[in-house]
Amino acid sequence: MKPMVWMLWGVLGVAPVVAHADATPAAAPPATPGPSVASDAQASNNFSFVRYRADYAVRADAGNTQTEEYEILLKTKAAVEQFSQVRLSYSEKMETLEVLAAYTLTADGQRRDVPADRIYTQESYSSASAAMYADRKVRVVVFPNLAPGTRVVYTTRRTQNTPYFPGYFGLWETFSVFTQYDDARVTLTAPASLPMFVQQRGVQGSDRPTIRDGQASWAWRYQRGTPMQSQNWSAAPWEFSPTIMASTYRDWSQVARAYQLKGGQAAQVTPGIQALADQLTAGIDDRREQAAVLYRWVAQNIRYVAVYLGNGGLEPNPAQSILDNHYGDCKDHVVILEALLAARGIQSSAVLIGAGGGPSLPAIPLLGRFNHAITYIPEFDLFLDSTSPYARFGQLPDADLGAPVLLTRTATLSRTPDNDATRNGNGLQVDFRFDALGNLTGQTVQQPSGVTEIGMRGSFARLNAQNRARVEESIMASSGFDGTGALTLLGDPQDLAQPFNYRYDFHASDYVDFGVVGGMPLPDAPGAESVRGIYATTSAPQNDAPFYCTDSLREETYRLQFPAGVPIVAIPRGQQFSNAAGEYTLDWSRQGQTIIAHHRLHQRAVRGAQALCQPQDYPAFRELYQQVRRGFRGQVVYGDLKTVQANP
C-alpha cells in the first residue's frame, strides 16, 4: 500500500552502520589475504567488521580523546557503494578530528593508502547556509578502487576539547545483531576520582573498573560470527543488541539542569520580543489562544535550519538574534517561543526528546538518546513542536508521540501523548457510481488524524499548477484505473488555524462489463491509503527481533452504486475477528442498487504504550493482517444468471 503523502513526495520532490565511536591503531597490521567472498546473491551480509577498536581516554574535566579503528570487509557491490566514502562529522568549536590512517587491503593482500587529496574537510549543509547556527564540519575519506573482497581500514582520533555540558562524558557503544563482528574491543580509562556510571549487556567484560595509579579502566570484548538476518519489523538495534553505556552524570536531572543553565538565559524577553508578542496577541484575551497565535508565528516564520541536538554546541542562540535572523535549529525554535510566551506571562519549558526513537529510555543518562528539542506549556499540559511548520496548535508529528522526554525547567522526566488511535487513527470514504456501459465516476474523501493531516499539509503546500496534473495522473496510475482524476483542496495547507483535507474526483472508462455474470472485489480508493495491502508487511513467517507496535484505528467505507436493471446476485458475508494484536470487522450491506462495505481495523499496543512488542507477539499481527487480506478478497456477484451456461 502506498500512502498518499508518499505518492506526492515522489512526484514533487553512508556512514558505517554502527551506533558508536570506533578506532584503529596508529600502526596497521601487516596486510594479509582476505577470505574468499561469495557473490552478492550468496552473501549472508553485505559487510563485516574484521577488526573494531574504540579507546576512550577521559580527562578530569570530562574532556576526552577517542581513538577509533575500523577494518571492514566488503562482501557485495552494495557494500562497495556504502563505503566508497566515509563521512565523519564533528564540531569545529568543541572538537578536533584527525584521520591517522586510511587505506584498503585487496583480496590478495595488497595495501593501497588513500591519497592525501582524497581526505578533505567540508562544511556541513547547515553550516554553509547558516554559519552562526552551526559549527559542523565533515571529514570525508574517499576510498578508491573498491571491489567485493576489499577491506577498508581507517583510524581516527577525536579530541573533545570542551565537554557538551560541564563535567559530562558519555559513552554509548551498540553492536547491532544484524552486523558481523569478528573481533571488537572497547576500552575506557578515566581518573578514579571522576564519577562514572556504567551499564552493559551482551558483551564480555565488567561494569566494575580496575584501579591502578589513580586511573580507573574498563575493557570489553564482543564477537558475532553470524549476524541475524534482517527482519520485517525491528525496533532500534540499541533496544536489544549488545550495548555498553557509561556516563559521568548520575541521573537525567543532571542533564536537564545543565541544559537549562544556558537555555534559560537565551530565552530572555527583549524589547523587540515584547513588542512582537504584544502585536501578535493584540485584541486576544484568551491565554490559550494567545499561545496558539505565538506558536503559529514561530512555526511559519522562523526557518528551520537542521542542527540536531548533540551535533555541536548545545547552547541555543539568544531569542533576539533568532528574531533578527528569522531562522534557527530546534533549540532556537524553543528559545524564541519560550521568550514570546513569557512576554505574555505564559511559562513554558524546553523539552529534550528522542524523536522517532521509540518508547524506551536508558537508565544511564546519555545525551545521545535525545536528538531534538520541543516545547511544553504546563498551564495547558501541552507539548508543541514549532519546527513542524504544518502541525496545528496541539498536534505533534508522528515521531514526537509516545516518546520519553526531559523537561529542563523542572528537571523531570515525562512522556509525550501516546501515539494511539486518537492521534494516528484514519478513515476514508469512497463512492463508486457505475453506468450501464460499465464506466464509473467516483469520489474519495479522507478522514485524517492529526498525524496524517500534518503530512498532507506538507505535501500539498508544494502543489502548484505545474505539477498538479502529474500528481493527479500518478494517483490514477497507482490505483490501476484507466481514466482521469482531479484534486480539490478542502482548506489551505498553510492555514494552521483551520483543519485541512482534500478530495479526489475520478472517472474511469470501461471498468466493468455488465453484459456478463461477474464478480467484483472492492476497487482501490484513488487518492487514499488503504489497509488492503497490510498483510505484505508480515510476509515473513516469523520475526526474531523486538519491534514497535502502537495503538491505531483504520476505518474504510466503500459505496458501490450499480445501475438500475443490473441484477445483484450476492454480496459477501461480514467478518469478525479478534486476537491479542487487535480486532478486525467487515460489514456488508445492501440498499437497493447500492452496496456498502465497511472495514474497521483496530491494532493494539500489545504490551502497552511504553513497551516494545516481542518476537512471540508477531504471529498475532500476522494472523490479524491475514484476516484483512481475506476481507478484501470478497466479491459482489452481478449479472443475469440466465446468460450463464450450465455446467454439463
Side-chain angles (χ1 to χ4, degrees):
M1 69 188 159
K2 182 177 289 187
M4 177 65 178
V5 291
W6 290 117
M7 189 184 304
L8 285 171
W9 274 114
V11 176
L12 302 173
V14 185
V17 185
V18 275
H20 49 242
D22 332 306
T24 27
T32 54
S36 60
V37 177
S39 67
D40 280 26
Q42 296 172 326
S44 60
N45 53 341
N46 286 332
F47 65 91
S48 63
F49 289 95
V50 177
R51 177 182 170 86
Y52 170 73
R53 297 289 184 269
D55 176 71
Y56 295 80
V58 186
R59 303 189 303 270
D61 67 349
N64 62 91
T65 299
Q66 305 169 24
T67 306
E68 310 166 351
E69 174 188 343
Y70 287 107
E71 183 177 342
I72 305 165
L73 173 63
L74 311 183
K75 300 183 179 182
T76 65
K77 294 177 182 177
V80 168
E81 291 295 321
Q82 181 176 351
F83 291 96
S84 61
Q85 64 175 7
V86 172
R87 300 174 60 84
L88 306 164
S89 179
Y90 67 101
S91 167
E92 185 180 44
K93 182 169 62 177
M94 308 181 75
E95 302 171 307
T96 59
L97 179 65
E98 306 165 80
V99 178
L100 304 179
Y103 58 92
T104 61
L105 295 174
T106 63
D108 60 2
Q110 297 182 49
R111 170 171 169 160
R112 295 174 179 170
D113 290 300
V114 176
D117 63 352
R118 298 295 183 96
I119 303 174
Y120 55 91
T121 302
Q122 287 183 337
E123 297 279 350
S124 71
Y125 172 78
S126 55
S127 294
S129 61
M132 72 170 287
Y133 286 91
D135 66 335
R136 301 305 295 175
K137 301 286 186 180
V138 178
R139 288 288 278 170
V140 182
V141 182
V142 181
F143 292 94
N145 303 318
L146 298 182
T150 302
R151 299 188 191 194
V152 166
V153 183
Y154 63 97
T155 306
T156 65
R157 182 165 58 212
R158 184 187 301 267
T159 303
Q160 183 92 34
N161 301 308
T162 305
Y164 288 125
F165 294 140
Y168 171 79
F169 164 79
L171 179 157
W172 188 349
E173 295 272 347
T174 290
F175 301 96
S176 171
V177 297
F178 302 111
T179 303
Q180 178 179 336
Y181 290 87
D182 297 332
D183 180 15
R185 303 187 189 192
V186 178
T187 59
L188 168 63
T189 58
S193 58
L194 187 68
M196 190 70 71
F197 304 93
V198 177
Q199 189 175 74
Q200 64 187 57
R201 177 184 65 222
V203 296
Q204 293 180 322
S206 174
D207 57 4
R208 296 183 177 276
T210 299
I211 308 295
R212 182 178 299 170
D213 298 329
Q215 289 287 105
S217 60
W218 295 258
W220 297 276
R221 298 183 63 180
Y222 176 73
Q223 287 182 302
R224 186 183 183 97
T226 304
M228 181 185 291
Q229 295 298 309
S230 61
Q231 304 292 301
N232 279 359
W233 294 0
S234 176
W238 75 266
E239 300 262 25
F240 58 93
S241 294
T243 295
I244 306 164
M245 295 180 177
S247 174
T248 53
Y249 278 12
R250 177 182 296 275
D251 54 42
W252 287 103
S253 64
Q254 284 184 269
V255 177
R257 286 190 291 269
Y259 184 90
Q260 184 66 23
L261 185 65
K262 296 294 185 181
Q265 295 174 0
Q268 290 183 358
V269 179
T270 64
I273 293 289
Q274 186 69 58
L276 177 61
D278 293 343
Q279 174 190 339
L280 293 172
T281 59
I284 302 174
D285 296 325
D286 182 80
R287 289 170 61 81
R288 186 182 178 96
E289 184 55 29
Q290 288 181 353
V293 168
L294 297 174
Y295 160 79
R296 287 194 289 266
W297 187 90
V298 173
Q300 296 189 310
N301 290 276
I302 301 300
R303 182 165 56 89
Y304 178 53
V305 177
V307 184
Y308 297 104
L309 190 68
N311 288 351
L314 293 177
E315 183 176 336
N317 291 280
Q320 185 61 50
S321 73
I322 303 164
L323 177 59
D324 292 341
N325 290 280
H326 271 55
Y327 58 73
D329 64 10
C330 61
K331 305 183 298 294
D332 299 321
H333 267 252
V334 169
V335 160
I336 191 171
L337 181 55
E338 182 177 350
L340 288 168
L341 290 167
R344 302 305 306 159
I346 302 172
Q347 187 185 84
S348 65
S349 173
V351 176
L352 304 186
I353 178 173
S360 306
L361 190 68
I364 298 293
L366 289 168
L367 183 60
R369 180 60 182 90
F370 294 132
N371 61 4
H372 190 38
I374 62 175
T375 298
Y376 177 67
I377 304 180
E379 182 175 341
F380 311 125
D381 189 22
L382 197 63
F383 290 92
L384 304 171
D385 187 347
S386 61
T387 66
S388 176
Y390 303 111
R392 285 194 285 150
F393 185 72
Q395 292 179 336
L396 285 176
D398 180 71
D400 289 352
L401 291 170
V405 296
L406 186 57
L407 308 183
T408 65
R409 182 178 290 274
T410 57
T412 55
L413 290 169
S414 184
R415 301 186 69 86
T416 55
D418 290 340
N419 189 8
D420 59 19
T422 63
R423 296 173 182 87
N424 66 33
N426 288 293
L428 68 86
Q429 179 169 317
V430 57
D431 290 277
F432 299 97
R433 296 177 297 278
F434 301 94
D435 66 18
L437 298 177
N439 306 312
L440 75 82
T441 58
Q443 182 181 93
T444 301
V445 180
Q446 296 214 65
Q447 294 134 6
S449 66
V451 166
T452 303
E453 183 184 334
I454 293 170
M456 290 195 310
R457 285 180 185 272
S459 296
F460 283 103
R462 294 161 176 81
L463 193 67
N464 56 44
Q466 191 173 35
N467 58 36
R468 188 186 192 101
R470 290 179 55 211
V471 171
E472 292 170 341
E473 291 171 4
S474 176
I475 292 172
M476 288 300 288
S478 66
S479 300
F481 288 115
D482 178 15
T484 59
L487 285 165
T488 300
L489 304 191
L490 307 177
D492 180 355
Q494 305 280 7
D495 183 2
L496 298 186
Q498 299 296 328
F500 174 76
N501 199 358
Y502 70 91
R503 76 167 188 261
Y504 187 72
D505 296 281
F506 53 90
H507 171 81
S509 302
D510 194 27
Y511 183 81
V512 62
D513 183 0
F514 288 122
V516 299
V517 174
M520 180 190 298
L522 293 174
D524 281 337
E529 177 191 1
S530 171
V531 297
R532 70 173 63 219
I534 198 170
Y535 180 77
T537 66
T538 56
S539 57
Q542 64 184 42
N543 199 85
D544 295 329
F547 55 92
Y548 302 127
C549 55
T550 56
D551 182 81
S552 66
L553 178 64
R554 295 299 310 272
E555 296 192 75
E556 301 181 13
T557 300
Y558 296 77
R559 298 173 60 89
L560 288 74
Q561 184 175 331
F562 288 81
V566 172
I568 298 174
V569 178
I571 63 174
R573 294 181 183 272
Q575 291 179 228
Q576 283 191 332
F577 178 81
S578 177
N579 68 4
E583 301 89 34
Y584 171 66
T585 59
L586 169 57
D587 295 316
W588 286 88
S589 62
R590 177 180 177 182
Q591 300 172 2
Q593 291 295 96
T594 300
I595 307 298
I596 302 171
H598 179 76
H599 298 259
R600 185 180 188 275
L601 173 64
H602 185 189
Q603 176 180 298
R604 299 194 180 279
V606 174
R607 297 175 183 266
Q610 300 182 21
L612 301 179
C613 278
Q614 298 300 312
Q616 59 266 34
D617 300 321
Y618 174 79
F621 286 94
R622 192 167 193 255
E623 185 181 26
L624 177 65
Y625 292 177
Q626 185 180 54
Q627 295 299 316
V628 177
R629 180 173 66 170
R630 291 174 178 172
F632 277 93
R633 286 174 174 167
Q635 298 187 20
V636 177
V637 180
Y638 58 84
D640 186 352
L641 293 178
K642 295 178 182 178
T643 65
V644 177
Q645 182 177 5
N647 188 22

